[in-house]
Amino acid sequence: MRQVLSVTSECIPLVKTGGLADVAGALPGAMRDVGWEMKTLLPGYPEVMAKIKAGKTVLSDKNLFGGAAKVVEASGSGLKLFVLVAPHLYERDGLPYGDASGKDWPDNPERFAALCKMAARIGSEGAGDWLPDIVHCHDWQAGLTPLYLSQSSGHRPGTIMTIHNIAFHGFAPKEKIGLLGLPRDGFTQDGYEYWDQISALKAGLVWSDKLTTVSPTYAKELMRAEFGMGLDGLLQSRSNDLVGILNGIDDKTWDPATDPEIANYKTPRGKRTAKTRLRREFGLPVSDGPLCVVVSRLSHQKGLDLLLEALPALVDRGGQLALLGSGDKELERRFAEAAASHKFVSARIGYDEALSHRMIAGADAILVPSRFEPCGLTQLYGLRYGTVPVVAYTGGLVDTVIPVSPMTLRGKVATGIQFHPATSDALARALMQAVDLFADKPVWEMLQKNGMRQTVGWQASAAEYASLYEKVAPAL
Ligand code: ADP
Ligand code: GLC
């Protein structure tokens, strides 16, 4: 089997703040099925250290940005891991990227440069007798890896940089060029410089052999000024190396037939029971309208402020909203307020994996009104569970939902509702359409069944990654 090192800052079931963790956790299994052994390098945050049993030390460094560090092997949950143990960088209370209040750690440039340095060492020297053919980097946290690799004289694996979200560059002040050990002549417009700062993501995009993002539509959007966050020109110049490969979902964790959070779900009665329980759990009264859910980070990206404005279109027609999310404090406050003032709205502020399963199982529709969405996973969970997605027309939402139209209804292929542009008016119209379609039982059932038939696993995408790896891996 050929070998690939995946470099990531989060990975289920060890540490997660968003979809990156789901993808990093599911890829190794999917890649194994297409002939690639993937090992994952991850920072040793306290929650990771608590869940692993550390094995052999494969690399060490006496002074990695101010303290001793080592890379240890570990395994568990079907993953083969390398964990970077560096207490001075990772052993802190709070979140992977910041303190408990969400404020970024000031030394994030060093914290993730450390990850990249060790990734580059594994790539060029190997770890024990394991030497990767490919190093696959995820988002800015892994972005400096290909640049560090280009500075080393050892083995040269092929490099892939995957953009999960271009909104995060991983900036560092240029004064850190020396500290981070970056080549000064790379601090140019064609290199890792971005408006006089270091951009870790840009380094990854310039120095990697191939670039991917998580849906074909987002790949095209990234080359446009509205979505490219200043990197659209660079991505246009590398358009021959950029490919959109759609995320799958972990279809074992998200399987309505075996989900421990729900019982007998595959039968229509199972869905009805899940819905009744969900209403009870959220304190929502019985109503004829659709029960809609949101499971999301609360951030500008996700367009949930648009939902707050569009809510009357849903609740005044008998529809209901149950939301689970956390993040932006102002949005948290506004959703709590909406829940307090309307009996058809209920909100849980927090993060709760088990509840997210019960919500997606019990709801009629799942709302994803994002302003931009590289892929999005919750609409895929919705499809699998017969929970109709109502989504914005952007990124991966375009590639995963077949919108209701006279044509798709006649052809019996529609799986959800899409709205455009990303405004509260357009969303309100989509919510009204959801209420109307929900009242038309045969049509709604057709949407549910079409969605449940859609393939949402990793098989096809793993094959695409494999063929990309083969293009850049060193010859055997
Ligand atoms: P993003 O990565 O931009 O946040 P995705 O849709 O790709 O968006 O992935 C989000 C992941 O995080 C999904 O698995 C979703 O179910 C999960 N998630 C988001 N917010 C919560 C929450 N409050 N509680 C439980 N799971 C959540
Ligand atoms: C990012 C994106 C999301 C995507 C996830 C996994 O966080 O916002 O759309 O599904 O990464 O690739």
Side-chain angles (χ1 to χ4, degrees), residues 139-140 143 161 163-171 188-195 197-206 211 218-239 242:
D139 272 352
W140 72 266
M161 179 79 220
I163 305 167
H164 293 265
N165 194 334
I166 208 161
F168 304 103
H169 268 262
F171 288 127
T188 63
Q189 237 185 33
D190 299 333
Y192 61 83
E193 182 261 1
Y194 183 90
W195 294 97
Q197 297 181 81
I198 299 165
S199 163
L201 178 62
K202 191 174 174 208
L205 299 178
V206 172
L211 314 178
Y218 193 57
K220 286 189 221 130
E221 287 174 346
L222 282 175
M223 289 185 263
R224 298 194 348 232
E226 314 100 276
F227 293 101
M229 306 274 177
L231 296 172
D232 37 296
L234 163 61
L235 290 168
Q236 276 166 29
S237 74
R238 295 214 59 190
S239 61
L242 171 65

Side-chain angles (χ1 to χ4, degrees), residues 16-20 22-23 164-165 247 254 295-297 301-302 324-326 348 350-354 356 360 368 373-379 381:
K16 165 167 168 176
T17 71
L20 166 61
D22 294 288
V23 172
H164 293 265
N165 194 334
N247 286 336
W254 289 95
V295 177
S296 183
R297 289 187 289 121
Q301 172 190 344
K302 301 294 178 181
L324 169 63
S326 59
R348 285 290 164 77
Y351 187 91
D352 188 335
E353 202 89 37
S356 74
I360 287 159
V368 192
E373 196 58 79
C375 179
L377 298 175
T378 60
Q379 82 282 7
Y381 305 153

Side-chain angles (χ1 to χ4, degrees), residues 344-469:
F344 278 5
V345 179
S346 185
R348 285 290 164 77
I349 303 305
Y351 187 91
D352 188 335
E353 202 89 37
L355 177 58
S356 74
H357 280 247
R358 296 197 292 281
M359 291 174 75
I360 287 159
D364 297 304
I366 177 150
L367 313 181
V368 192
S370 309
R371 291 192 166 84
F372 68 96
E373 196 58 79
C375 179
L377 298 175
T378 60
Q379 82 282 7
L380 295 173
Y381 305 153
L383 289 169
R384 188 114 210 265
Y385 281 65
T387 303
V388 175
V390 178
V391 302
Y393 184 81
T394 187
L397 303 173
V398 176
D399 299 322
T400 53
V401 176
I402 302 171
V404 163
S405 73
M407 225 160 59
T408 57
L409 284 180
R410 207 167 320 121
K412 299 196 186 327
V413 293
T415 59
I417 296 168
Q418 247 167 22
F419 67 94
H420 182 75
T423 61
S424 53
D425 283 346
L427 172 56
R429 282 194 294 277
L431 293 173
M432 289 188 249
Q433 190 180 21
V435 174
D436 290 345
L437 289 172
F438 182 70
D440 188 340
K441 290 299 166 212
V443 170
W444 194 263
E445 265 172 35
M446 179 188 77
L447 296 179
Q448 290 180 297
K449 285 195 180 133
N450 288 346
M452 290 178 93
R453 269 199 296 269
Q454 191 165 316
T455 331
V456 289
W458 270 105
Q459 226 176 354
S461 301
E464 282 192 65
Y465 278 117
S467 73
L468 194 65
Y469 291 173

Side-chain angles (χ1 to χ4, degrees), residues 277-293:
R277 290 203 179 130
L278 182 61
R279 274 213 173 102
R280 210 175 297 142
E281 190 164 1
F282 272 83
L284 291 166
V286 173
S287 160
D288 288 339
L291 171 55
C292 303
V293 290

Side-chain angles (χ1 to χ4, degrees), residues 19-95:
L20 166 61
D22 294 288
V23 172
L27 256 188
M31 295 314 300
R32 191 175 46 237
D33 294 345
V34 289
W36 282 82
E37 178 189 50
M38 179 177 272
K39 293 195 179 186
T40 305
L41 174 68
L42 189 71
Y45 317 110
E47 61 264 62
V48 170
M49 298 311 294
K51 287 181 200 152
I52 62 158
K53 208 165 143 266
K56 213 169 65 209
T57 296
V58 289
L59 283 179
S60 56
D61 190 321
K62 282 200 193 80
N63 185 5
L64 186 65
F65 301 116
K70 59 185 181 180
V71 173
V72 300
E73 275 182 338
S75 60
S77 312
L79 297 170
K80 294 177 180 170
L81 297 166
F82 292 122
V83 177
L84 175 53
V85 183
H88 61 295
L89 298 173
Y90 304 129
E91 203 180 288
R92 330 179 163 174
D93 293 338
L95 307 161

Side-chain angles (χ1 to χ4, degrees), residues 83-339:
V83 177
L84 175 53
V85 183
H88 61 295
L89 298 173
Y90 304 129
E91 203 180 288
R92 330 179 163 174
D93 293 338
L95 307 161
Y97 314 120
D99 63 20
S101 74
K103 202 166 145 270
D104 281 353
W105 299 114
D107 60 346
N108 272 349
E110 294 89 310
R111 294 176 77 234
F112 294 101
L115 183 74
C116 299
K117 278 216 149 155
M118 290 318 229
R121 278 190 60 189
I122 297 176
S124 59
E125 298 166 28
D129 55 3
W130 194 84
L131 187 65
D133 302 291
I134 295 288
V135 176
H136 186 162
C137 307
H138 299 277
D139 272 352
W140 72 266
Q141 294 89 340
L144 295 177
T145 310
L147 176 50
Y148 287 139
L149 260 171
S150 76
Q151 293 175 295
S152 80
S153 54
H155 168 71
R156 177 70 174 88
T159 47
I160 309 280
M161 179 79 220
T162 294
I163 305 167
H164 293 265
N165 194 334
I166 208 161
F168 304 103
H169 268 262
F171 288 127
K174 64 179 174 195
E175 290 69 29
K176 291 201 175 182
I177 290 177
L179 172 71
L180 299 180
L182 300 175
R184 280 188 195 275
D185 60 2
F187 190 67
T188 63
Q189 237 185 33
D190 299 333
Y192 61 83
E193 182 261 1
Y194 183 90
W195 294 97
D196 214 30
Q197 297 181 81
I198 299 165
S199 163
L201 178 62
K202 191 174 174 208
L205 299 178
V206 172
W207 270 271
S208 294
D209 297 327
K210 293 282 179 192
L211 314 178
T212 78
T213 188
V214 289
S215 70
T217 296
Y218 193 57
K220 286 189 221 130
E221 287 174 346
L222 282 175
M223 289 185 263
R224 298 194 348 232
E226 314 100 276
F227 293 101
M229 306 274 177
L231 296 172
D232 37 296
L234 163 61
L235 290 168
Q236 276 166 29
S237 74
R238 295 214 59 190
S239 61
N240 288 337
D241 293 319
L242 171 65
V243 50
I245 302 178
L246 202 60
N247 286 336
I249 59 171
D250 179 345
D251 49 14
K252 291 195 185 64
T253 310
W254 289 95
D255 182 355
T258 55
D259 197 319
E261 289 300 319
I262 47 178
N264 303 321
Y265 187 74
K266 272 265 154 121
T267 65
R269 216 174 101 224
K271 177 114 187 149
R272 270 203 306 278
T273 312
K275 181 170 168 178
T276 306
R277 290 203 179 130
L278 182 61
R279 274 213 173 102
R280 210 175 297 142
E281 190 164 1
F282 272 83
L284 291 166
V286 173
S287 160
D288 288 339
L291 171 55
C292 303
V293 290
V294 169
V295 177
S296 183
R297 289 187 289 121
L298 302 182
S299 73
H300 181 76
Q301 172 190 344
K302 301 294 178 181
L304 295 165
D305 50 321
L306 307 177
L307 177 59
L308 280 161
E309 286 165 35
L311 261 185
L314 178 70
V315 295
D316 293 352
R317 288 168 181 75
Q320 297 178 318
L321 174 71
L323 170 135
L324 169 63
S326 59
D328 181 283
K329 297 296 162 211
E330 174 66 5
L331 284 172
E332 289 184 355
R333 189 191 59 74
R334 287 179 68 194
F335 274 106
E337 206 173 81

